[in-house]
Amino acid sequence: MSKRSSIASWFYILLLVVAPMNAPAQSKEYQIKAAFLFNFAQFVNWPSGAFPGTNAPFCIGVLGDDPFSGALDATIQGETIDNHKIIVERSQNVADLKNCQMIFVSKSERKHVAEILSALDSKPILTVSEVDGFAERGGGINFYLAGTKVRFEINPGVAQSDGLKISAQLLSLGKIVQSAKEDK
Amino acid sequence: MKLMFLTCVVWMLAGTISILHAQDNSPPSGATGTNASPSAAAGPAVYKNMSLEQLMNQDVTSVAREPEPYGQAPAAIDVITSDEIQRSGASSIPEALRLADNLDVAQKNSHDWAISSRGFNTSLADKLLVMIDGRTVYTPLFGGVFWDQQDYLMEDLDRIEVISGPGGTLWGANAVNGVINIVTKSADETQGLYVEGGGGSELHDFGGARYGGTLATNIYYRVYAKYFDQGDEVLTDGSNASDSWRMAQTGFRMDDDASAENHITAQGDFYASDEFVTTGGQAHTDGGNILGRWSHTFENDSDMSLQTYYEQTYLADPIPGNTSPIILKPAGTLFDDLDTYDVDFQHRFHLGDRNNIVWGLGYRFTHEEDIAAPALAFVPGTMDQNLYSGFAQDEISLGRNLFFTLGSKLEHNYYTGFEFEPSGRLQWNITSNHMVWGAVSRAVSTPSRVDEAENIPSIIPGVPFLKGNTNFVSESEIAFELGYRAQFGQKVSASLSSYFNYYDHIRSTGITPGTIIPFVFQNNLKGETWGFELSMDYQILDWWRLHGGYNFLQENIYVKPGDEDINDGFNETADPENQVFLRSSMDLPYHTQFDLAGRWIDQLTINSGATLATVPSYFEMDARLAWQATKHIEFSIVGQNLLHAQHLEYGFPGPDTEEIARSVYGKVTFRW
């Protein structure tokens, strides 16, 4: 019994080693971040003036290179926020995304953060990024990794001054940061 | 044969599901649905239905099972993640420890377990150091752990790090064959309301709740409470073992993240439990602990932490009467009351470009009072102990990919005075995905109250049947280890750890010349053990992961030439030579998870004191099916030890031996 079982287990482990390996699909990190974006949309209230019309969609803009590889589209597909259908728009130019309610600023734009934020200043748009210091520089929410887990910083002053209402639950889960003195 | 059969069944089942899934082009919620790893529930369709709090607890690495820095630690470490604990359906910490490939976990009855690593898994096993959030939980009564006193909401466990092999250099006495470090989540990771409840055939009913909130910006807290009612196990003939167990526990944790340089944690737990004992009577235990820790990061990339705790435990344990004609004592109750005060300081800094130094100081004071039962006493009944310790360790970079770590602990304990526990470790990162490590270490198991103060009276006044030995010395070990850890592509990771250990001064039992009794504990055994532990994870598909583990152990413990042991060297071991673990984790459509875990445990030889007996090998299987019905509610059903109505894991086989029955329970969890 003992010997045969050992052989069986070795065989099993061997099978695992030689079985073919598939290429990775969407990264788990960005699937999780996409789900965060979807959650942010639910935990923030936009003023009615943020939408061009009552039937207008809720737009999530991706500015710069899209790191989500389809995970964001898969996340929001068929979903609505307060009866606004959620859509994703992509652009390399912030001006194209000014009708969006949320803009994800890709890492590829890290050198242009100041220009982007000044272009969006005082508009009711929630800016989200993953560039170090984004929230301190006047961004709304910034992802960072704590070990292997996704965390976010939130700058409540910026968001609220633009007319957005952020739920207490979101504030309690994020790390609160304030705008650095030299900005604004 | 059964294992072969199961292997085939799992593969066929997997193949079938894989085909079905491939044909299913319209998964729920319109999402693509098959993109993430099952280790954390799969794909955008699943993540988007998670609460923020759940999202914050997802590991972004899908294959690396051991988040940094564990993946790079030059030791035989197996990290059990919170996700694995949830998916296993474990309802207690000992059940969760079955997930570690480098442990031997044997359940004795409803409320007792024998848990060890690399052998020596006896009733008085004393070679494992167990900590919960930095609090050492082995008892100075026998150097082992009362596993029935260690509980949490499984939901609030962040991870369990199981290190097999000696850890004495960092952790001190008793870390001879392994260290188990149980870590709960930080309070900021447990925000919001969580409620669970359920019941079943063995775990009759249970419930728990936790609420986490903020006291001020970036200052988080949680409070929790739980209870359970564990039913009776069975005797060999299938009759009721009358060993049911009820326990309630409550506690809190506060984490202050307000400043970047300082982190403050305060936490405490209080519990009470009642256990029926199959030999008659009812055990009661209660206790609590309170712990504070301050960590500070300095500007030059160095840090320190200062921790202190107080713990109180109380045990009233029914001791059966002894009908041996030379003892003849009635049943009674042993009371053990223990207070522990502990302070621990640690500092880490860099010296030059090549040295990463950690050093620390510790002090522990214990006050223990034992009130004897007629058939079991501790003499003296009251004992105060001081434990002073210090350690230093230097990790030296010998090159870009080669590290040498040298260190030692120096301890002063009540029984044997100074103990020295040095180790040297070499780590070579061949590539970023392949690492080889080796270590040579010395570790000791210092005497416990059992070794020095146990006293079983006889019918002759003043002459005990068995007594402890005030000259008992520390059991010592020299360990040689060699390990390899690798990541093959994106999907396969593996770890192999091998060891060769020399032991000396292992506990034996001798006679008193001339009168035979009292029997007395001595240090007359020595020996060697060797073996290896293999772990492997394979992410077959984005939604399906397999895990395999194999643990091989050889022990050769013998009486030193010219010395004696009335147990012929058999009393300190009760270990399976081979253990095989297989697990499958699947994320299926409609927000369901399906997990299977099989384990084959080899036979083990156990000593009754007079004759040897064998606990037969067994194969058992656990399963869990969970359905995340909405973002807030999850239903699950868990089956444990499904293959047999009952089976024996530990204990001397006989009509009165307790066996473990098949168990099924249902659970509902609610998060807000």
Side-chain angles (χ1 to χ4, degrees):
Chain A
M1 174 67 202
S2 148
K3 276 219 172 58
R4 289 179 79 159
S5 297
S6 303
I7 291 163
S9 71
W10 278 112
F11 177 69
Y12 173 88
I13 287 159
L14 194 71
L15 249 177
L16 296 191
V17 176
V18 299
M21 301 171 194
N22 300 332
Q26 299 161 2
S27 100
K28 195 173 159 191
E29 177 179 344
Y30 285 96
Q31 293 178 9
I32 292 169
K33 285 179 174 171
F36 268 105
L37 293 185
F38 177 53
N39 263 283
F40 294 156
Q42 300 166 68
F43 284 98
V44 174
N45 257 316
W46 275 261
S48 54
F51 294 92
T54 49
N55 291 327
F58 181 102
C59 164
I60 299 177
V62 176
L63 180 61
D65 298 343
D66 181 359
F68 293 101
S69 328
L72 185 55
D73 304 79
T75 301
I76 56 100
Q77 188 174 342
E79 298 289 345
T80 59
I81 296 287
D82 295 336
N83 295 322
H84 297 284
K85 182 175 186 297
I86 307 182
I87 60 162
V88 176
E89 289 191 1
R90 293 174 179 80
S91 177
Q92 301 290 336
N93 184 348
V94 68
D96 298 341
L97 300 172
K98 284 195 172 168
N99 285 329
C100 286
Q101 284 67 45
M102 186 190 298
I103 294 180
F104 181 81
V105 180
S106 166
K107 273 184 200 160
S108 65
E109 305 306 297
R110 63 184 175 280
K111 292 189 177 138
H112 313 296
V113 167
E115 306 149 43
I116 292 164
L117 289 176
S118 80
L120 298 173
D121 194 15
S122 76
K123 290 200 164 52
I125 296 174
L126 178 68
T127 52
V128 183
S129 188
E130 50 182 350
V131 173
D132 278 355
F134 181 76
E136 284 96 336
R137 294 168 68 180
I141 292 179
N142 194 36
F143 289 121
Y144 64 100
L145 288 181
T148 58
K149 288 166 181 164
V150 177
R151 295 294 151 80
F152 60 92
E153 302 169 322
I154 186 162
N155 186 333
V158 168
Q160 277 150 13
S161 69
D162 295 343
L164 308 181
K165 286 205 183 68
I166 299 178
S167 81
Q169 192 185 348
L170 192 57
L171 290 174
S172 76
L173 290 170
K175 182 178 177 192
I176 305 291
V177 299
Q178 309 293 338
S179 294
K181 294 267 164 18
E182 61 269 24
D183 279 77
K184 297 197 169 184
Chain B
M1 276 321 282
K2 273 183 183 150
L3 183 81
M4 287 274 237
F5 175 71
L6 176 92
T7 310
C8 295
V9 169
V10 168
W11 276 96
M12 282 180 339
L13 185 73
T16 313
I17 292 170
S18 163
I19 291 159
L20 287 176
H21 201 82
Q23 290 168 343
D24 179 7
N25 289 322
S26 53
S29 308
T32 46
T34 57
N35 295 303
S37 96
S39 68
V46 171
Y47 290 129
K48 76 185 208 180
N49 284 306
M50 288 187 175
S51 67
L52 280 167
E53 181 205 304
Q54 284 172 292
L55 283 172
M56 292 177 78
N57 283 321
Q58 301 302 313
D59 281 314
V60 298
T61 49
S62 50
V63 183
R65 170 178 145 69
E66 299 161 0
E68 291 286 342
Y70 317 106
Q72 287 300 319
I77 182 166
D78 192 333
V79 179
I80 304 168
T81 64
S82 60
D83 187 60
E84 290 172 311
I85 296 170
Q86 293 303 318
R87 296 188 72 123
S88 73
S91 62
S92 66
I93 288 172
E95 284 177 11
L97 291 174
R98 289 202 196 271
L99 293 164
D101 297 327
N102 51 357
L103 285 180
D104 169 30
V105 177
Q107 186 171 2
K108 297 175 176 175
N109 55 47
S110 172
H111 40 70
D112 292 315
W113 284 264
I115 298 176
S116 188
S117 155
R118 300 187 177 176
F120 298 95
N121 200 8
T122 67
S123 296
L124 294 175
D126 56 3
K127 293 175 183 58
L128 202 58
L129 176 63
V130 181
M131 289 177 292
I132 300 180
D133 287 337
R135 174 170 53 89
T136 298
V137 298
Y138 71 80
T139 170
L141 191 63
F142 70 101
V145 176
F146 288 118
W147 287 104
D148 50 349
Q149 295 173 3
Q150 321 303 335
D151 199 18
Y152 269 100
L153 273 178
M154 293 295 107
E155 169 75 14
D156 287 349
L157 297 181
D158 183 68
R159 64 183 185 276
I160 302 176
E161 302 165 9
V162 180
I163 301 159
S164 45
T169 297
L170 289 179
W171 287 291
N174 273 35
V176 170
N177 280 351
V179 178
I180 297 179
N181 194 10
I182 298 162
V183 182
T184 69
K185 289 174 183 166
S186 171
D188 62 308
E189 295 176 281
T190 54
Q191 294 286 291
L193 180 66
Y194 171 86
V195 180
E196 66 173 30
S201 62
E202 284 297 315
L203 184 54
H204 284 170
D205 53 271
F206 63 96
R210 174 251 290 155
Y211 181 75
T214 54
L215 295 169
T217 304
N218 298 333
I219 300 178
Y220 307 91
Y221 74 91
R222 70 163 172 260
V223 289
Y224 76 92
K226 70 173 286 187
Y227 89 96
F228 62 81
D229 175 3
Q230 178 82 35
D232 298 312
E233 294 294 350
V234 289
L235 300 181
T236 305
D237 63 6
S239 60
N240 192 321
S242 306
D243 63 346
S244 65
W245 177 25
R246 269 161 296 279
M247 182 165 180
Q249 179 163 326
T250 182
F252 72 96
R253 174 163 171 160
M254 190 277 296
D255 284 278
D256 181 344
D257 284 323
S259 110
E261 298 82 33
N262 296 299
H263 182 99
I264 294 165
T265 300
Q267 63 186 86
D269 309 285
F270 309 91
Y271 63 87
S273 123
D274 285 305
E275 297 164 357
F276 285 98
V277 179
T278 196
T279 47
Q282 189 178 1
H284 173 83
T285 173
D286 59 51
N289 66 80
I290 186 149
L291 176 144
R293 187 186 312 114
W294 169 46
S295 313
H296 180 79
T297 309
F298 298 100
E299 286 194 347
N300 54 356
D301 191 29
S302 70
D303 53 62
M304 54 137 281
S305 74
L306 181 65
Q307 172 187 287
T308 183
Y309 68 82
Y310 166 69
E311 173 153 26
Q312 200 273 329
T313 65
Y314 169 80
L315 168 68
D317 197 18
I319 304 296
N322 197 322
T323 54
S324 161
I326 197 161
I327 298 176
L328 274 185
K329 296 292 176 211
T333 304
L334 175 79
F335 298 91
D336 177 67
D337 211 335
L338 173 69
D339 293 278
T340 305
Y341 304 81
D342 187 284
V343 189
D344 196 66
F345 170 81
Q346 193 167 310
H347 179 214
R348 187 187 63 82
F349 64 98
H350 292 279
L351 191 69
D353 293 338
R354 291 179 176 272
N355 298 278
N356 184 7
I357 295 172
V358 193
W359 66 278
L361 295 170
Y363 170 69
R364 184 179 305 155
F365 172 75
T366 55
H367 173 79
E368 188 161 26
E369 290 180 25
D370 292 302
I371 299 173
L376 180 62
F378 288 88
V379 181
T382 299
M383 179 167 284
D384 290 341
Q385 294 186 46
N386 292 294
L387 177 70
Y388 307 89
S389 63
F391 78 94
Q393 175 175 293
D394 186 9
E395 184 192 71
I396 307 157
S397 306
L398 298 177
R400 255 172 69 83
N401 298 312
L402 195 61
F403 302 91
F404 179 57
T405 306
L406 187 66
S408 184
K409 187 128 188 165
L410 184 64
E411 277 184 327
H412 186 276
N413 74 85
Y414 171 88
Y415 297 108
T416 61
F418 284 105
E419 294 287 353
F420 186 55
E421 294 171 86
S423 73
R425 256 168 218 280
L426 198 61
Q427 171 184 357
W428 177 32
N429 299 333
I430 306 170
T431 70
S432 59
N433 292 326
H434 295 261
M435 190 254 280
V436 176
W437 60 272
V440 180
S441 325
R442 178 180 193 266
V444 298
S445 172
T446 53
S448 67
R449 294 270 285 156
V450 160
D451 301 320
E452 295 240 353
E454 183 175 354
N455 189 300
I456 298 176
S458 75
I459 47 169
I460 309 163
V463 182
F465 175 74
L466 178 134
K467 76 195 246 305
N469 178 355
T470 49
N471 293 319
F472 198 83
V473 301
S474 294
E475 301 175 327
S476 66
E477 174 200 33
I478 305 282
F480 299 86
E481 296 177 274
L482 192 61
Y484 171 60
R485 198 167 310 145
Q487 176 93 39
F488 303 98
Q490 291 284 314
K491 306 228 157 190
V492 178
S493 59
S495 167
L496 177 68
S497 309
S498 61
Y499 56 93
F500 195 104
N501 298 340
Y502 287 103
Y503 297 90
D504 201 355
H505 310 301
I506 297 291
R507 178 171 50 207
S508 61
T509 312
I511 59 171
T512 298
T515 56
I516 298 179
I517 64 164
F519 292 112
V520 63
F521 286 132
Q522 293 168 335
N523 296 95
N524 288 348
L525 304 184
K526 66 188 292 185
E528 304 92 43
T529 65
W530 64 276
F532 62 90
E533 297 135 358
L534 177 67
S535 274
M536 201 145 208
D537 279 287
Y538 179 26
Q539 190 84 44
I540 282 197
L541 294 167
D542 292 320
W543 51 273
W544 184 27
R545 173 196 195 105
L546 287 176
H547 173 89
Y550 177 53
N551 187 328
F552 176 75
L553 165 69
Q554 292 287 303
E555 292 176 304
N556 177 29
I557 306 296
Y558 52 90
V559 185
K560 287 189 232 181
D563 284 332
E564 57 167 7
D565 175 23
I566 60 168
N567 297 307
D568 282 333
F570 284 107
N571 214 38
E572 296 299 309
T573 53
D575 307 293
E577 269 186 25
N578 297 279
Q579 297 187 85
V580 179
F581 308 96
L582 300 171
R583 291 201 297 278
S584 156
S585 297
M586 294 180 185
D587 285 316
L588 300 174
Y590 306 104
H591 310 302
T592 52
Q593 297 178 331
F594 181 58
D595 284 77
L596 281 176
R599 65 182 192 277
W600 182 79
I601 312 294
D602 208 345
Q603 64 182 36
L604 55 93
T605 303
I606 203 159
N607 190 16
S608 73
T611 48
L612 288 174
T614 299
V615 174
S617 65
Y618 72 90
F619 182 73
E620 266 303 348
M621 193 150 138
D622 298 343
R624 174 178 179 268
L625 181 65
W627 175 44
Q628 186 81 41
T630 74
K631 193 172 197 161
H632 304 295
I633 296 177
E634 183 188 70
F635 299 94
S636 58
I637 181 156
V638 174
Q640 295 171 312
N641 302 313
L642 289 168
L643 299 184
H644 305 95
Q646 62 185 83
H647 71 283
L648 177 65
E649 295 192 8
Y650 198 88
F652 194 67
D656 296 332
T657 307
E658 290 171 86
E659 300 196 346
I660 306 307
R662 177 186 291 136
S663 161
V664 176
Y665 72 85
K667 179 175 173 180
V668 182
T669 63
F670 175 82
R671 290 165 223 270
W672 192 267

